[in-house]
Amino acid sequence: MDRATLRNIIDELKSEQLEEQDILIYLLHKVQDYYQSHYIPPEVGEMIAEELNVPPSKVYEVLTFYTMFSTKPRGKYIIRVCTSLPCHVPGGREIVEYLKKKLGVNFGETTKDGLFTLEETGCLGLCGVSPVIMINDQYYGDLTVEKVEEIIESLKGGDAK
């Protein structure tokens, strides 16, 4: 991302009349969405700090505190698995084991083809339809291993966003 593109995004956010303290988080979301690998490169983090006139440590602090941000490239599809108790008890453990085996990765890793990144997350707020996973911005609930298999195969075929 070049500096002009970053400035355009900042100007767009400022025109939305966001609170000054909210601009950084919204900006990080927009910048991360700009990259196909769903991450924020270190040099762009430094540019963000310069453009917002905040210390680079502030940008890095936000990047590393919130699990939705990454400083490392991730897959096209980010699979977030809820491992809180309400999801883990009713079949969630089996979903986790299946995903790790099917994708050949552990939490925090990306498949060799760059298609999937598997991440562990706390409660997604959908306890009533547990177990639950989130893939990019889409939630899937009432899961079984068979349903997860269908979802993964559909994504491999390019049937999703």
Side-chain angles (χ1 to χ4, degrees):
M1 170 176 286
D2 61 31
R3 196 170 291 272
T5 302
L6 180 61
R7 282 188 187 132
N8 287 338
I9 295 171
I10 292 170
D11 290 344
E12 176 186 318
L13 288 173
K14 286 184 177 179
S15 74
E16 293 177 18
Q17 299 180 3
L18 294 170
E19 296 290 326
E20 196 68 33
Q21 65 269 20
D22 293 337
I23 288 177
L24 176 58
I25 289 177
Y26 281 87
L27 178 59
L28 292 173
H29 278 294
K30 292 231 182 231
V31 169
Q32 185 166 270
D33 289 346
Y34 176 85
Y35 289 96
Q36 185 175 355
S37 296
H38 305 283
Y39 82 113
I40 299 175
E43 64 276 6
V44 176
E46 291 176 20
M47 270 197 310
I48 289 170
E50 290 170 12
E51 290 298 320
L52 295 181
N53 198 28
V54 297
S57 60
K58 174 69 174 171
V59 174
Y60 187 74
E61 175 186 337
V62 173
L63 276 174
T64 56
F65 178 78
Y66 293 104
T67 60
M68 293 300 199
F69 297 126
S70 180
T71 56
K72 300 183 312 186
R74 296 186 286 180
K76 179 178 181 181
Y77 301 109
I78 302 165
I79 303 172
R80 293 178 179 94
V81 182
C82 178
T83 56
S84 65
L85 197 55
C87 276
H88 208 59
V89 172
R93 194 168 316 147
E94 292 80 13
I95 302 290
V96 168
E97 293 305 316
Y98 171 76
L99 282 167
K100 286 180 176 181
K101 184 176 179 184
K102 173 79 175 172
L103 301 175
V105 295
N106 285 309
F107 287 127
E109 296 178 346
T110 301
T111 56
K112 289 179 180 158
D113 62 5
L115 205 52
F116 299 100
T117 296
L118 187 61
E119 295 183 351
E120 181 177 18
T121 188
C123 185
L124 292 169
L126 297 166
C127 303
V129 293
S130 64
V132 176
I133 61 173
M134 180 180 177
I135 303 176
N136 293 352
D137 295 326
Q138 180 72 40
Y139 295 92
Y140 299 88
D142 290 322
L143 293 173
T144 62
V145 168
E146 294 77 24
K147 286 182 182 178
V148 173
E149 169 77 20
E150 289 175 19
I151 294 165
I152 297 299
E153 290 305 316
S154 174
L155 294 173
K156 283 183 176 180
D159 294 344
K161 295 178 184 175

